[in-house]
Amino acid sequence: MKRIIYCMLITLIAYSCELDNYEAPSHSLKGRILDENGLALQSEQGASSARIKLEELSWSKSSVPLYLNVKQDGSYVNTKLFGGEYAISVVEGPFYPVDAEMITLNQSLTHDFTVTPYLNVSWIGSPSVDADKKIKVRFKFSRNEPPSAGITMPDLQDYRLFISTNQYVGNNNFAPGASSITVVNNDMEDQEIMIVSNTSMKYSTTYYVRVGVRVSDDYKKYNYTDIKTITIE
C-alpha cells in the first residue's frame, strides 16, 4: 500500500510540473499621463496620485485587475507582463474620469493617456526666504471645464505648500515645515495667493517645494505645480 501511495504522489508531482511550463512574463508596457496641452501630469511618486489599471481579456472577460504605479513625472513602466489583449485605463487621479482603451501587448508597447486635470496650478515668481528663514511662495490656480457633457465639476477643497529635503516632495512626502491646509473657494481662482511655511528652515540645506490644490471628489488627490528648489544660506 505504501508503495502504491508513493507512486501516486510521484505521478501527481510530475503531472503538476508538466502543467507549469509557461515562460516567465517578458513583455513591456510604458507610457505617460499627459494633460490636454501635451504636458506631463505633475504627480506624486507611487500609487498616491493615480494608477494604471490593466485587465487582461485574452482568457477571461472578468479577470482580476493589475495596477501599475505612476512616477512623479507622470510616467509608468512594467517589463514583466504577459502578452495578450488588455483593457487599460488611468484611474484614481486628480482629473476627470477617462474611458478604458483596448490594447494588444506584443513584446514592447508605449501607450500614453491624455486627461483633463481638475485644476491647473502655477507659480507666480520663485520661492523666497524671509528674515525668519521661512519659505514664502506665490501661486495661482484655475479650474478646467469637464471634457464632455454630463460630467460634474467637483467643488474646490483646499491648498497646501509642500516642502521636503528630497525630490519626491508631495502629499505623501513632506517635512514638518510644510504649511497648514487652507480651505479654498471659487473667489480665489486666478488670484495671486501667498503661502509661508509653518517653521523656519535649517541653514545650509536645499529644499524641494511645490504647491498642491485639490477638489472634493472621491479620491481627493492634489493637482500640483512643478517642483522648485531653494537653498537656505
Side-chain angles (χ1 to χ4, degrees):
M1 179 63 73
K2 290 182 178 179
R3 183 174 182 182
I4 293 174
I5 293 174
Y6 176 77
C7 290
M8 291 176 64
L9 288 172
I10 294 297
T11 301
L12 287 172
I13 291 171
Y15 182 70
S16 299
C17 292
E18 184 178 352
L19 289 179
D20 189 18
N21 59 357
Y22 293 104
E23 293 185 2
S26 59
H27 297 262
S28 65
L29 175 66
K30 65 179 180 179
R32 299 176 298 165
I33 306 174
L34 307 173
D35 65 17
E36 68 275 15
N37 297 314
L39 301 176
L41 184 73
Q42 294 293 321
S43 304
E44 296 171 19
Q45 191 81 358
S48 300
S49 271
R51 296 194 294 174
I52 307 300
K53 180 181 179 181
L54 282 172
E55 299 175 275
E56 186 179 2
L57 305 179
S58 303
W59 309 106
S60 172
K61 299 302 181 183
S62 58
S63 62
V64 177
L66 170 67
Y67 291 91
L68 309 181
N69 289 343
V70 176
K71 297 181 180 180
Q72 199 172 27
D73 62 357
S75 66
Y76 70 93
V77 62
N78 190 306
T79 60
K80 300 296 182 183
L81 294 170
F82 288 106
E85 303 294 324
Y86 288 86
I88 183 171
S89 54
V90 55
V91 297
E92 303 173 9
F95 43 76
Y96 291 100
V98 296
D99 294 330
E101 304 172 54
M102 292 299 302
I103 61 169
T104 300
L105 182 57
N106 183 13
Q107 296 303 318
S108 178
L109 179 67
T110 298
H111 185 87
D112 295 338
F113 295 93
T114 299
V115 301
T116 302
Y118 290 129
L119 306 166
N120 295 327
V121 190
S122 57
W123 296 106
I124 297 177
S126 297
S128 60
V129 180
D130 65 16
D132 296 323
K133 299 298 181 183
K134 292 183 177 181
I135 294 177
K136 181 189 301 183
V137 304
R138 291 179 173 84
F139 76 99
K140 65 179 180 178
F141 72 90
S142 59
R143 308 185 73 174
N144 289 315
E145 294 290 334
S148 57
I151 300 178
T152 303
M153 180 184 292
D155 293 332
L156 295 168
Q157 181 161 317
D158 56 53
Y159 65 82
R160 192 173 196 182
L161 169 64
F162 298 98
I163 302 171
S164 177
T165 55
N166 65 67
Q167 67 191 55
Y168 301 111
V169 59
N171 192 40
N172 61 345
N173 176 34
F174 60 90
S179 74
S180 302
I181 294 175
T182 303
V183 174
V184 65
N185 59 59
N186 292 334
D187 293 337
M188 296 179 177
E189 184 175 0
D190 291 322
Q191 301 300 310
E192 180 177 311
I193 301 171
M194 185 180 74
I195 315 177
V196 180
S197 62
N198 279 340
T199 61
S200 300
M201 302 292 107
K202 297 179 181 179
Y203 288 93
S204 302
T205 303
T206 296
Y207 290 94
Y208 297 80
V209 298
R210 73 195 314 194
V211 173
V213 188
R214 63 181 172 178
V215 300
S216 184
D217 69 342
D218 290 340
Y219 302 107
K220 296 178 175 57
K221 307 292 181 66
Y222 282 97
N223 289 113
Y224 289 106
T225 63
D226 59 357
I227 297 171
K228 291 185 177 291
T229 60
I230 185 166
T231 300
I232 309 300
E233 301 295 344

